Amino acid sequence: MSEEMVVTPWKVSGEVNYERLMEQFGTKPITKPLLDRMRRIAGYLHLQLRRGIFFSHRDFDWWLDMYEAGQPVGLYTGRGPSGPCHLGHLLPWFFTKHLQDVFDAHLYFQMTDDEKYLIHPELTLEDTVGYTYENALDLIAVGFDPEKTHIISNVNHVHRLYRLALQVAKHVTYSTVKAIFGFTDSDNIGIIWFPAMQAVPCFIQSIIEGHNVAVLIPAAIDQDPYWRMTRDIAEKLGFYKPAQIHAKFLPGLGRGGKMSASMPETAIFTIDPPEVAARKIMNAYTGGRATAEEQRRLGGDPSICTVYAYYYYLFEEDDKRLRELEHRCRSGELLCGECKAELAERVKRFLRDFQRRREKARNQLDRFFLE
Ligand code: TRP
């Protein structure tokens, strides 16, 4: 029997049923008309929209209305800096960069070094603040515009956030956050306050620019509880409700589950030596048969294959070639060894290039962090 689905900001386990999540969370699917609209605005449809990786939203249509009406629009996303980044973290950032390019929008990027300190017993503030700067290298390497990207360390920039956080906190009761996040009497009081901090970047651009900005948050769907809370109080504080566009999780290389730093053998970290990443791929869980003979006869099953998932999510841009790959797998023509070796090559190439850009980012940090 499969494990029960749990999706909260601090835990994702079991098999994730995205249809059910949309129902539970009360979000909307990204429909064909919305996709057509994005294709028209961007000139093409990004891989992550074409393939349903971003699949759900709140008020994305309204955000596009604001953009098309010439109103100011902005972007907000973030990262909990508790360790090195892996490809699952980069996935929504690639799409966020696409949004920045298309909409020429400012991005506020929050590093929740406070949150990660509060919830991980073993991490010190030096650790989490240190990861803020390490993870910022990854963010910069994705290619964001230094003139339009503002990284926030909650710990180091608290003076820029505190006034807004207080205004949020004053309007949210304990019973509300208890219901939304499932807090209990044994949680520390820091984490109970923390949702106010995560709400702040929804409004900070409006304060900085002195007029209301329509903000869109591209992020994995586990963060949605924060936005339910924030949307409830935004108008009371005189701001627009933030809009969201929700992503699925990148699977890990093992059997079932999302890519997770707590299972390093099934995660590809951006700082993995390319050869190490290649080895992880060669050990990945696939949809292959027990023997080559069987696979030639019966074919493989891409629908359960993590290697296929990597082509699908990231490493095969060309839809036609992706379909061919799927077909060759199902027909038994393509065996797992060859398929994995090709992916390993692509991942190595990606990592070499990414790591070069990541090192170059070291002396650009100042340009990206908020003052
Ligand atoms: N809480 C998020 C995490 O643990 C980090 C985060 C802060 C975030 N603000 C965000 C993620 C906005 C997405 C969008 O990863």
Side-chain angles (χ1 to χ4, degrees):
M1 215 186 77
S2 66
E3 210 187 328
E4 202 202 333
M5 167 172 85
V6 179
V7 178
T8 76
W10 301 293
K11 185 172 182 216
V12 177
S13 64
E15 180 159 358
V16 181
N17 179 332
Y18 291 104
E19 291 293 321
R20 233 177 77 210
L21 269 186
M22 272 196 281
E23 245 168 64
Q24 270 178 19
F25 287 2
T27 67
K28 297 209 173 112
I30 294 180
T31 55
K32 175 92 173 25
L34 207 42
L35 291 177
D36 289 343
R37 205 169 164 194
M38 269 302 280
R39 183 185 290 109
R40 179 171 52 73
I41 294 170
Y44 74 106
L45 203 53
H46 190 272
L47 178 152
Q48 295 194 31
L49 287 172
R50 279 187 338 255
R51 299 192 185 158
I53 295 167
F54 274 85
F55 71 104
S56 149
H57 76 104
R58 293 180 190 272
D59 285 348
F60 183 40
D61 38 0
W62 164 80
W63 189 81
L64 293 176
D65 291 344
M66 294 295 275
Y67 171 76
E68 293 197 304
Q71 296 294 312
V73 298
L75 297 165
Y76 162 36
T77 193
R79 151 97 183 129
S82 56
C85 289
H86 57 58
L87 293 184
H89 301 126
L90 299 191
L91 185 73
W93 302 354
F94 289 137
F95 185 66
T96 303
K97 152 131 174 80
H98 168 69
L99 292 175
Q100 180 174 68
D101 291 346
V102 170
F103 296 96
D104 194 25
H106 281 265
L107 166 67
Y108 284 81
F109 191 99
Q110 180 176 49
M111 295 286 189
T112 57
D113 32 24
D114 51 351
E115 173 193 23
K116 295 297 148 175
Y117 168 68
L118 289 165
I119 62 166
H120 289 289
E122 74 287 3
L123 292 179
T124 65
L125 276 168
E126 286 66 35
D127 292 334
T128 60
V129 174
Y131 281 128
T132 284
Y133 293 89
E134 274 301 306
N135 294 171
L137 300 176
D138 293 292
L139 186 74
I140 295 169
V142 168
F144 289 97
D145 177 351
E147 304 300 322
K148 291 203 152 74
T149 304
H150 316 279
I151 307 176
I152 302 166
S153 153
N154 278 3
V155 174
N156 285 345
H157 296 112
V158 68
H159 59 293
R160 300 292 301 273
L161 312 174
Y162 194 53
R163 280 174 166 266
L164 272 170
L166 284 170
Q167 288 170 267
V168 172
K170 190 169 180 172
H171 290 84
V172 179
T173 65
Y174 179 50
S175 87
T176 297
V177 287
K178 212 162 61 173
I180 295 180
F181 297 95
F183 292 136
T184 67
D185 284 359
S186 51
D187 283 309
N188 71 59
I189 60 173
I191 200 64
I192 292 161
W193 144 266
F194 171 75
M197 294 293 285
Q198 182 148 332
V200 166
C202 297
F203 311 131
I204 198 167
Q205 191 181 351
S206 298
I207 295 293
I208 288 174
E209 293 184 6
H211 52 232
N212 270 353
V213 176
V215 169
L216 175 70
I217 307 171
I221 191 154
D222 63 314
Q223 298 298 306
D224 188 69
Y226 289 105
W227 322 131
R228 293 205 288 276
M229 181 199 87
T230 310
R231 286 167 61 85
D232 250 18
I233 54 97
E235 287 171 339
K236 286 182 211 155
L237 301 184
F239 301 110
Y240 297 129
K241 292 181 182 184
Q244 283 84 51
I245 176 163
H246 302 109
K248 296 179 181 172
F249 305 107
L250 182 68
L253 290 164
R255 186 175 188 156
K258 69 162 186 157
M259 186 169 278
S260 165
S262 59
M263 294 187 294
E265 274 310 301
T266 61
I268 294 172
F269 294 95
T270 61
I271 54 174
D272 273 345
E275 290 305 327
V276 170
R279 196 200 67 226
K280 290 179 186 177
I281 289 167
M282 295 314 286
N283 292 330
Y285 176 74
T286 72
R289 304 279 173 178
T291 67
E293 184 279 322
E294 248 183 72
Q295 190 154 341
R296 292 265 183 237
R297 194 155 42 85
L298 303 169
D301 182 1
S303 74
I304 57 162
C305 179
T306 65
V307 173
Y308 179 74
Y310 280 79
Y311 285 110
Y312 184 92
Y313 277 75
L314 286 164
F315 290 101
E316 181 50 80
E317 281 270 343
D318 187 315
D319 292 343
K320 189 161 154 273
R321 282 208 299 246
L322 186 73
R323 277 196 302 277
E324 276 165 19
L325 183 86
E326 182 182 355
H327 176 75
R328 288 173 60 224
C329 169
R330 286 191 193 282
S331 71
E333 181 193 333
L334 176 65
L335 297 185
C336 295
E338 185 189 335
C339 188
K340 286 196 273 196
E342 170 61 25
L343 180 66
E345 274 313 308
R346 291 187 192 192
V347 169
K348 277 196 284 188
R349 230 179 293 141
F350 167 79
L351 283 178
R352 275 190 220 108
D353 178 53
F354 192 82
Q355 288 169 2
R356 239 191 323 268
R357 282 184 282 139
R358 194 175 179 281
E359 280 315 303
K360 275 205 211 135
R362 282 194 194 276
N363 53 25
Q364 293 185 50
L365 285 167
D366 285 350
R367 297 175 70 201
F368 281 89
F369 272 85
L370 208 64
E371 303 269 281

